[in-house]
């Protein structure tokens, strides 16, 4: 069995590669990644030498390159993690989001068609459903919830989902989609809420909370996300969408305060800054379908997952210090430098 994993040098993709190499030691895993600012080859150093692993630096929008790789590898399964993934960057500059998330996905779909790939899995997001109001805790996203994207990022992910479904219906492409909630854990790029707050705490820098910090996200430990995808690609039904989430809703401000407590840092580091444009209020997944059909349940409780994650950032300072001292300093200055107070 050969699996092409796109975006495998990023956060969830790399965790998925580690998970799959352990869970299926007889599989061949081929990682295809462009190595954008978010891709980090050092993340994969521990598996680079494994015989059943191959890394290929490639852009999913590069049709010729992608077709060449499919011709060589004849993958049984393709799992597409490759994407521009940060909402704030999409608000600043949407173009590359359309290019990679939509056009790139279409190139992969065409390659799967051309080479008869047995399964294409699209790693999507709960953000395609838009948001839920804070005063209706009884509401959850199900697979029937209409697509209602808020940001250029989520609109690009929703567009890709529509294409995947169209290829399934029109060409009979055996495709599945997972829509997971906010994922956290090791190798999470420090532009995202949890790693950004951990890194800033450890450097005694201000903790920039958008608006009042009352927005709610539904957090899932990365290994649980990876296990869900493993189940879907093997047992999920083609043409189906599976929502993935662990019923773990938390307000941003409570996460930030928890990180301060865990690291013994004062809450006075918290700074309320100008809100994100179009900021989604609440995400909450109903995971009944994946539980009933595939027996998936999250294993790691948030209380344990966040401790493990903080421990990982303490033990792997080189990994993230390298990142935040490079190009990232320019990004940080642009996003947070002149940001007014909330
Ligand atoms: P990430 O930004 O950490 O990693 C993205 C990876 O894709 C990087 O390695 C990057 O180099 C690669 N990439 C980007 N453009 C590429 C291109 N044109 N060709 C080839 N490779 C390219 O992202 P992540 O947080 O690991 O997210 C992975 C996927 O999961 C994304 O599709 C995202 O939409 C989805 N998702 C993320 C979350 C979350 O909370 N992080 C939740 C649900 C779904
Ligand atoms: O500095 C910050 N301050 C802050 O208050 C940052 C970076 C974020 N936030 C808030 C915005 C959100 O309400 O924290 C929340 C989480 O923000 P992000 O980490 O940027 O994640 P989010 O926008 O929820 O999107 C994430 O989940 C779904 C991923 O980045 C997406 O790739 C995924 O699809």
């Amino acid at each position: 069995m050969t699996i092409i994993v796109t975006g495998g040098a990023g956060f969830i993709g790399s965790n998925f590669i580690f998970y799959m190499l352990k869970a299926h030691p007889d599989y061949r895993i081929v990682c295809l990644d462009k190595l954008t600012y978010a891709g980090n080859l050092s993340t994969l150093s521990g598996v680079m030498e494994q015989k059943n692993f191959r890394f290929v630096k490639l852009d999913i929008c590069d049709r010729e390159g992608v077709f060449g790789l499919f011709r060589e590898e004849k993958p049984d399964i393709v799992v597409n993690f490759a994407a521009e993934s940060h909402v704030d960057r999409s608000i600043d500059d949407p173009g590359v989001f359309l290019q990679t998330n939509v056009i790139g996905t279409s190139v992969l779909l065409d390659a799967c068609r051309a080479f008869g790939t047995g399964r294409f899995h699209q790693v999507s997001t709960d953000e395609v459903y838009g948001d839920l109001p804070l005063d209706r805790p009884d509401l959850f996203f199900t697979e029937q919830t209409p697509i209602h994207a808020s940001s250029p990022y989520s609109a690009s992910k929703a567009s890709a989902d529509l294409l995947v479904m169209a290829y399934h219906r029109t060409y009979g492409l055996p495709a599945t989609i997972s829509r997971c909630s906010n994922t956290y854990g090791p190798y999470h790029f420090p532009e995202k809420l949890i790693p950004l707050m951990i890194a800033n705490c450890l450097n005694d820098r201000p903790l920039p909370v958008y608006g009042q910090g009352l927005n709610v996200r539904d957090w899932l430990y990365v290994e649980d996300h990876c296990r869900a995808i493993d189940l879907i690609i093997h047992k999920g039904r083609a043409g189906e969408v599976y929502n993935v989430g662990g019923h773990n809703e938390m307000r941003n401000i409570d996460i930030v305060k928890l990180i301060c407590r865990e690291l013994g840092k004062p809450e006075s580091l918290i700074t309320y800054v100008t809100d994100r444009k179009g900021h989604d209020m609440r995400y909450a997944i109903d995971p009944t379908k994946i539980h009933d059909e595939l027996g998936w349940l999250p294993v790691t409780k948030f209380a344990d997952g966040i401790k493990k994650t903080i421990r990982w950032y303490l033990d792997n300072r080189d990994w993230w210090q390298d990142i935040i001292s490079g190009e990232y300093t320019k990004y940080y200055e642009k996003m947070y430098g002149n940001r007014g107070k909330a």
Side-chain angles (χ1 to χ4, degrees), residues 199-272:
N200 282 18
C201 261
L202 290 173
N203 288 331
D204 296 306
R205 298 182 70 179
L207 308 176
V209 171
Y210 298 165
Q212 302 306 311
L214 302 179
N215 308 62
V216 169
R217 296 292 183 265
D218 184 357
W219 293 95
L220 185 73
Y221 192 62
V222 64
E223 230 168 65
D224 283 320
H225 188 166
C226 294
R227 200 161 30 79
I229 296 173
D230 185 19
L231 276 172
I232 296 168
I233 59 178
H234 288 102
K235 299 191 179 137
R237 289 178 295 137
E240 294 293 318
V241 173
Y242 294 90
N243 281 357
V244 183
H247 280 305
N248 181 59
E249 290 175 49
M250 292 187 68
R251 300 188 310 178
N252 294 339
I253 187 63
D254 296 328
I255 301 244
V256 177
K257 286 183 176 170
L258 174 73
I259 291 170
C260 287
R261 270 200 307 283
E262 288 289 331
L263 289 171
K265 299 291 179 177
E267 288 182 9
S268 55
L269 284 176
I270 295 173
T271 318
Y272 294 93

Side-chain angles (χ1 to χ4, degrees), residues 9-12 33-34 36 39 59-60 81 85 100 124 153 157 183:
F11 164 44
I12 311 175
D33 199 297
K34 183 182 176 183
T36 67
D59 185 337
I60 57 168
F81 291 92
S85 68
T100 286
S124 185
Y153 162 71
K157 293 295 288 185
T183 306

Side-chain angles (χ1 to χ4, degrees), residues 6-13 32-40 58-61 80-86 100-101 122-126 153 157 178-184 187-189 191-192 219 225:
T6 72
F11 164 44
I12 311 175
L32 177 175
D33 199 297
K34 183 182 176 183
L35 297 180
T36 67
Y37 79 91
N40 202 329
L58 193 62
D59 185 337
I60 57 168
C61 302
N80 183 27
F81 291 92
E84 287 295 330
S85 68
H86 193 35
T100 286
N101 299 1
Q122 174 72 357
V123 182
S124 185
T125 169
D126 59 358
Y153 162 71
K157 293 295 288 185
S178 52
R179 294 184 179 143
C180 186
S181 57
N182 283 60
T183 306
Y184 70 101
Y187 300 107
H188 204 178
F189 196 85
E191 67 192 349
K192 308 286 175 28
W219 293 95
H225 188 166

